[in-house]
Amino acid sequence: EKTWRWGKDTFEAKKDTELVCRVVKGTPRLFKKRRVIDSKGKKPKTVWSEPRYDASAHGIMVLQKLFGEKDVFPYPKSIYAVKDILELLTDEESVVLDFFAGSGTTGHAVSLLNKEDGGNRQFILCTDNENNIATDVCYPRTVKVIEGVATAKDITGIPSNLYYYKTSFIKKSASVD
């Protein structure tokens, strides 16, 4: 596009490790290498289609195991899809914020990832408690993940600290002082 991405010093430092030259339709072109890798040292695929990403088997069924009942929450995400995303994008000391916590899959995935790699990630889950989602699903799920559930031993019983805060909305003032 006839624009400079790097200055001369940056180019000199990165030309051998960050750039690749390819011939496209007979014309040499420079491309910048993409460096996102997963924990196995591979670039993640664009489409994730492994069975563990199935929301029915690893979302709905996980909630059924934790709560011992059906229809706990509509359309929860697969815990493994969220865990794998976090594995790519966080380090062992990250704080993960989920403003739309729903059933608490993000918190569960953070705990599971910490258990697997010895990390110390923290999570903050927020919800508006529509249909009592915070009090009936998200908070109880988080407690079950910490305390453990006999029907889900492989993904629960993960010691953690838990703080629960309830806030309320402040009405908008007509005048601003």
Side-chain angles (χ1 to χ4, degrees):
E1 299 295 331
K2 299 188 183 354
T3 59
W4 293 99
R5 176 172 295 207
W6 296 327
K8 182 180 178 183
D9 293 339
T10 302
F11 173 80
E12 289 294 332
K14 295 185 176 186
K15 67 181 172 134
D16 296 324
T17 59
E18 301 298 316
L19 296 175
V20 64
C21 183
R22 292 192 183 126
V23 177
V24 178
K25 296 182 181 178
T27 304
R29 296 210 34 210
L30 283 178
F31 294 91
K32 184 180 181 302
K33 293 181 182 179
R34 294 176 66 189
R35 295 287 181 186
V36 176
I37 56 172
D38 66 14
S39 62
K40 298 174 187 93
K42 297 179 183 176
K43 185 177 167 186
K45 295 180 180 180
T46 303
V47 177
W48 292 5
S49 58
E50 294 179 35
R52 67 188 185 155
Y53 302 134
D54 178 63
S56 293
H58 302 288
I60 293 170
M61 298 304 289
V62 164
L63 289 181
Q64 285 182 14
K65 284 181 185 179
L66 294 177
F67 288 87
E69 59 186 79
K70 292 183 178 188
D71 301 322
V72 176
F73 181 78
Y75 310 111
K77 293 177 281 305
S78 163
I79 188 173
Y80 300 108
V82 177
K83 184 185 80 62
D84 287 358
I85 290 167
L86 293 170
E87 193 171 7
L88 285 170
L89 301 176
T90 66
D91 61 41
E92 289 82 7
E93 297 295 324
S94 292
V95 177
V96 178
L97 173 61
D98 185 349
F99 267 111
F100 303 98
S103 69
T105 303
T106 300
H108 194 165
V110 168
S111 297
L112 190 59
L113 185 55
N114 281 340
K115 178 182 176 182
E116 288 181 7
D117 70 8
N120 190 35
R121 293 169 195 82
Q122 299 176 45
F123 58 87
I124 302 169
L125 305 178
C126 305
T127 182
D128 64 1
N129 204 31
E130 183 178 347
N131 299 320
N132 295 322
I133 192 65
T135 54
D136 294 350
V137 182
C138 189
Y139 178 75
R141 177 184 189 166
T142 306
V143 170
K144 291 172 187 295
V145 169
I146 294 168
E147 293 179 349
V149 174
T151 56
K153 289 181 182 178
D154 56 329
I155 58 170
T156 66
I158 306 169
S160 301
N161 294 317
L162 174 62
Y163 299 96
Y164 178 90
Y165 298 96
K166 182 177 180 182
T167 61
S168 58
F169 290 101
I170 299 171
K171 292 187 180 194
K172 181 179 176 182
S173 174
S175 64
V176 178
D177 295 330

